[in-house]
Amino acid sequence: MSNGFRQRVEIVVRDIPKGRVMTYGQIAALCGSPRAARVVGGIAHFGNPELPWHRVVNKHGGLASGYPGGKAGHQIVLEAEGHQVENYQIHMKDTVWSPGH
């Protein structure tokens, strides 16, 4: 993927509000490549650590094992923002964010 795609991904992630999440697939689609969820995951893993990557989860609300501290570390940060997490999955209802909605 191009640097332009990476930049679009980082802009979307930067804008995810506290207490909300998006999925890798949502971000990929929003950035023009709906089948690039894994690429978004790679960008998250190696991207700008100052962005709120903890607000990105898989399509089922699953946490990332590659997050610093693993899934447990991801859970701690999400719970600090008010998310309910069980078995390393967040409750997606009322937490998934879509820009413009």
Side-chain angles (χ1 to χ4, degrees):
M1 288 283 152
S2 70
N3 279 341
F5 182 76
R6 173 185 291 275
Q7 289 172 337
R8 290 190 304 274
V9 167
E10 290 183 344
I11 289 167
V12 170
V13 172
R14 180 197 68 209
D15 291 342
I16 302 170
K18 183 177 179 180
R20 304 299 292 273
V21 297
M22 289 185 78
T23 68
Y24 299 102
Q26 278 181 293
I27 294 168
L30 198 63
C31 293
S33 296
R35 300 183 60 97
R38 287 181 185 246
V39 175
V40 172
I43 294 169
H45 189 71
F46 296 106
N48 181 344
E50 296 187 22
L51 294 175
W53 294 109
H54 63 282
R55 297 180 185 149
V56 183
V57 296
N58 75 25
K59 66 182 175 182
H60 303 293
L63 308 188
S65 57
Y67 189 83
K71 291 181 180 184
H74 198 176
Q75 179 172 339
I76 289 167
V77 179
L78 286 170
E79 287 178 338
E81 288 195 356
H83 292 282
Q84 294 179 359
V85 181
E86 284 183 45
N87 298 318
Y88 300 120
Q89 284 192 305
I90 65 161
H91 295 271
M92 298 281 281
K93 187 178 181 200
D94 300 324
T95 62
V96 175
W97 182 69
S98 181
H101 294 102

